[in-house]
Amino acid sequence: LKAKSIAFVDEKSGSGYLYPRVYFKQQKIEFPAYFKEVVFSGNHAASVEMLKAKKVDAIAVFANDKRAKTGAWTKFGEDVPKVRSIWIGPEIPNDPFCVRQEFYDRYPRVAHDVMFGLIEMLENPNSAAKLKDLLGVSSLILATSQQYEPVRTMVRELDIQIQ
């Protein structure tokens, strides 16, 4: 990719910018000087369109699995020429349900009831369809602290200040 053009989603996108930046840093790739052109498309679909239209040489977008068999290019890329994945980042939490620590400390039962209630809603075909329409989710799982390690690594590597 040296001296090539690349499109990122936006500066706050995990898969579409932040995690690739961590990879560049770990590989000692000087960013953005390494590239001929760096652009921000605004969303994953727009990045795919830019690649399809040959406006950029590469894009950073989400993948749905560890082998990148599906991702933004399959979701948004009708008639996209064959693409080749050159790097697949770590699995990252997607669309978490979160509460502030002080809320959890004060109301742990409420947090658990909501969490398990959402999961149970997905087990019921009637409520699952409504939940998918409302939140766009088709599955929910309980998260572990270990699953958030890539997030902590990204925050450290990019020296992101959390307020």
Side-chain angles (χ1 to χ4, degrees), residues 50-61:
M50 290 181 79
L51 184 66
K52 185 176 162 182
K54 299 182 180 181
K55 292 180 180 177
V56 293
D57 299 305
I59 57 176
V61 292

Side-chain angles (χ1 to χ4, degrees), residues 56-155:
V56 293
D57 299 305
I59 57 176
V61 292
F62 71 87
N64 290 330
D65 55 88
K66 291 180 182 182
R67 295 184 181 214
K69 293 204 182 280
T70 63
W73 55 93
T74 57
K75 182 174 183 176
F76 304 116
E78 288 182 33
D79 302 321
V80 171
K82 185 176 180 181
V83 297
R84 187 171 115 204
S85 297
I86 58 174
W87 175 75
I88 302 163
E91 288 186 23
I92 56 176
N94 190 19
D95 301 327
F97 168 74
C98 303
V99 296
R100 289 186 322 275
Q101 185 65 48
E102 64 217 43
F103 180 91
Y104 183 82
D105 291 343
R106 188 165 181 187
Y107 306 105
R109 177 71 186 223
V110 172
H112 282 253
D113 286 350
V114 169
M115 178 176 58
F116 285 107
L118 288 169
I119 291 170
E120 288 172 11
M121 285 178 72
L122 286 171
E123 294 171 358
N124 177 319
N126 293 330
S127 59
K130 292 175 186 169
L131 195 59
K132 184 170 185 168
D133 287 344
L134 181 65
L135 301 177
V137 298
S138 55
S139 67
L140 291 170
I141 60 169
L142 297 177
T144 65
S145 179
Q146 183 59 34
Q147 289 169 310
Y148 283 85
E149 193 53 40
V151 177
R152 289 188 278 274
T153 299
M154 181 260 301
V155 168

Side-chain angles (χ1 to χ4, degrees), residues 13-24:
S13 173
S15 58
Y17 183 66
L18 297 170
Y19 288 93
R21 284 286 315 280
V22 170
Y23 177 76
F24 298 150

